[in-house]
């Protein structure tokens, strides 16, 4: 990759019901501090808000923006459709509620060159626009909320199992045949797994940062994290040995709290020690997580933490084996370069 002639870049966006953030997200792409050629391909799912109308306006306003249909509304199908419609050697994934930092693409292209990686990614920097979203953002960037996941909490640049979103060499995507569309969630992990198994490097760097807008309600956050837990169990069944204590903590907490409530109600009040201890722990953990935030946001952090933990754990525990079997049946073997 020559510094005099930066490689052309395709930005792919899977979009569904993103009227609130789509225009701003695309603006952050088009205003990148990058000297190379740039295109944006938006894969449009069956939105029920003004997303399609906003996308059409963006296409009219800038010739670098294009759209393709994604009738299923599924994220991996959207990504594959956008990859197929794009044309440049570097492919950047961005979601419709993600805001790239100004030098994100230039930094990612440099890191691809320096590391020889097939995919590089960085920090999912959650930022809220109101008190509830600020509370969720604080929960999502604290270790009590998400454990030691580097793309949430930061860390040193290093090889990684997977990364947030990702900036790929097109050859790696084409070599592996794109995303496995049976993975409604965790499709990033599965694709990066195949890339790694084929001998490719996935690289995390804190230099890369994408501002992320959290879900706007308790209900939306609960659904998001229930799906995360559900699909993390699918991944654990798909790839034996990929689970660790961090992933087992939420389902263990759900079982322990449920058992404590039952014992406390039916046998002895001592059973309430477990749910009481959990509430005390998240209340204490919310204090450093909410440092610098307004009071209205700080008092909602325990609600955000409990919603994330309990929903993730419930999703993990109730993930059906039939879903994992279906996904395992769709397994693609890693493809090594000839």
């Amino acid at each position: 990759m020559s510094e005099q002639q930066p490689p052309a870049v395709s930005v792919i966006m899977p979009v569904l019901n993103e009227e609130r953030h789509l225009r701003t997200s695309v603006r952050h792409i088009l205003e990148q501090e990058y000297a190379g050629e740039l295109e944006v391909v938006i894969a449009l799912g069956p939105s029920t808000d003004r997303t399609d109308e906003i996308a059409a306006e963006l296409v009219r306003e800038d010739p670098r923006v294009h759209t393709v249909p994604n009738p299923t509304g599924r994220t991996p199908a959207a990504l594959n459709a956008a990859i197929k419609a794009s044309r440049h050697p570097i492919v950047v994934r961005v979601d419709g509620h993600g805001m790239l930092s100004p030098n994100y693409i230039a930094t990612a292209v440099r890191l691809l060159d320096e590391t020889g990686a097939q995919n590089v990614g960085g920090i999912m920097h959650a930022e809220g626009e109101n008190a509830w979203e600020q509370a969720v953002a604080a929960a999502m960037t604290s270790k009590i909320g998400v454990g030691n996941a580097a793309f949430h909490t930061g860390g040193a640049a290093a090889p990684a199992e997977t990364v947030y979103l990702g900036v790929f060499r097109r050859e790696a995507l084409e070599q592996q045949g794109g995303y496995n569309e049976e993975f409604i969630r965790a499709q990033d992990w599965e694709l990066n797994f195949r890339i790694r198994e084929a001998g490719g490097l996935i690289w995390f760097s804190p230099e890369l940062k994408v501002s992320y807008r959290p879900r706007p309600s308790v209900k939306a956050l609960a659904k998001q994290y229930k799906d995360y837990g559900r699909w993390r169990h699918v991944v654990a069944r798909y790839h034996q040995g990929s689970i660790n204590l961090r992933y087992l903590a939420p389902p263990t907490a759900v079982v322990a709290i449920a058992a404590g409530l039952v014992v406390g109600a039916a046998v002895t009040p001592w059973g309430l020690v477990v749910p009481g201890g959990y509430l005390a722990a998240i209340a204490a953990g919310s204090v450093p997580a909410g440092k610098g935030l307004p009071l209205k946001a700080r008092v909602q952090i325990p609600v955000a933490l409990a919603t994330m933990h309990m929903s993730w754990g419930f999703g993990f525990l109730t993930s059906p084996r039939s879903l994992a079997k279906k996904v395992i049946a769709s397994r693609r073997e890693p493809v090594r370069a000839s």
Side-chain angles (χ1 to χ4, degrees):
M1 298 177 188
S2 169
E3 291 184 3
Q4 288 73 34
Q5 294 181 323
V9 169
S10 297
V11 180
I12 58 172
M13 302 182 71
V15 168
L16 180 69
N17 292 326
E18 291 287 0
E19 68 172 1
R20 183 177 171 193
H21 299 301
L22 179 59
R23 176 171 287 278
T24 306
S25 181
V26 172
R27 177 172 58 79
H28 278 76
I29 298 167
L30 298 177
E31 294 178 357
Q32 283 287 295
E33 297 170 359
Y34 186 66
E37 187 179 347
L38 187 70
E39 69 171 353
V40 182
V41 181
I42 304 171
L44 294 170
S47 295
T48 56
D49 61 9
R50 293 185 59 252
T51 295
D52 287 11
E53 181 181 337
I54 293 167
E57 291 171 358
L58 292 167
V59 170
R60 289 194 296 269
E61 292 165 7
D62 196 305
R64 293 174 293 176
V65 181
H66 315 280
T67 62
V68 292
N70 174 35
T72 69
R74 293 181 171 187
T75 299
L79 291 166
N80 283 342
I83 291 168
K84 185 177 180 180
S86 66
R87 54 198 173 90
H88 294 322
I90 304 297
V91 178
V92 179
R93 176 183 170 177
V94 181
D95 287 341
H97 45 270
M99 314 294 163
L100 299 186
S101 52
N103 63 346
Y104 180 89
I105 291 177
T107 302
V109 170
R110 173 176 59 80
L111 289 170
L112 286 172
D113 194 25
E114 290 177 353
T115 65
Q118 301 299 307
N119 181 20
V120 298
I123 294 174
M124 177 183 179
H125 183 66
E127 293 180 328
E129 296 181 331
N130 55 44
W132 165 250
E133 291 179 0
Q134 289 170 344
V136 176
M140 291 180 70
T141 53
S142 70
K143 290 191 175 181
I144 192 173
V146 296
N148 61 352
F151 70 85
H152 281 298
T153 60
E161 183 179 86
T162 190
V163 290
Y164 178 55
L165 300 178
V167 177
F168 298 84
R169 299 177 189 270
R170 175 178 292 277
E171 62 198 39
L173 293 172
E174 293 180 345
Q175 180 179 316
Q176 299 304 327
Y179 291 84
N180 184 334
E181 295 186 14
E182 292 297 336
F183 273 80
I184 308 306
R185 296 287 183 272
Q187 65 276 155
D188 296 307
W189 179 92
E190 193 277 336
L191 174 59
N192 286 320
F193 171 73
R194 280 185 282 134
I195 291 173
R196 287 187 294 109
E197 288 292 292
L201 174 66
I202 311 299
W203 186 262
F204 166 82
S205 173
E207 291 185 74
L208 297 172
K209 186 172 76 172
V210 181
S211 294
Y212 167 88
R213 300 294 185 257
R215 296 298 192 268
S217 67
V218 173
K219 181 179 179 180
L221 182 68
K223 182 182 185 305
Q224 178 187 19
Y225 272 78
K226 185 192 77 171
D227 288 345
Y228 283 171
R230 175 186 176 98
W231 281 90
R232 194 61 188 79
H233 205 162
V234 171
V235 166
R237 288 167 169 156
Y238 181 91
H239 177 44
Q240 299 294 326
S242 68
I243 203 71
N244 59 40
L245 292 177
R246 175 165 68 91
Y247 296 124
L248 294 176
T252 301
V254 169
V255 171
I257 289 168
L261 290 172
V262 170
V263 171
V267 181
T268 171
W270 284 104
L272 299 176
V273 168
V274 174
Y278 171 75
L279 291 175
I282 62 172
S286 297
V287 175
K291 186 176 181 181
L293 292 179
L295 178 62
K296 190 175 180 181
R298 294 202 304 270
V299 298
Q300 295 185 77
I301 294 175
V303 178
L305 286 170
T307 301
M308 290 161 58
H309 294 161
M310 296 299 102
S311 300
W312 203 103
F314 178 78
F316 189 94
L317 290 168
T318 59
S319 181
R321 286 188 176 274
S322 59
L323 179 59
K325 287 180 180 178
K326 181 181 178 182
V327 168
I328 290 169
S330 74
R331 185 190 296 272
R332 298 181 184 178
E333 293 304 316
V335 179
R336 293 185 176 273
S338 57

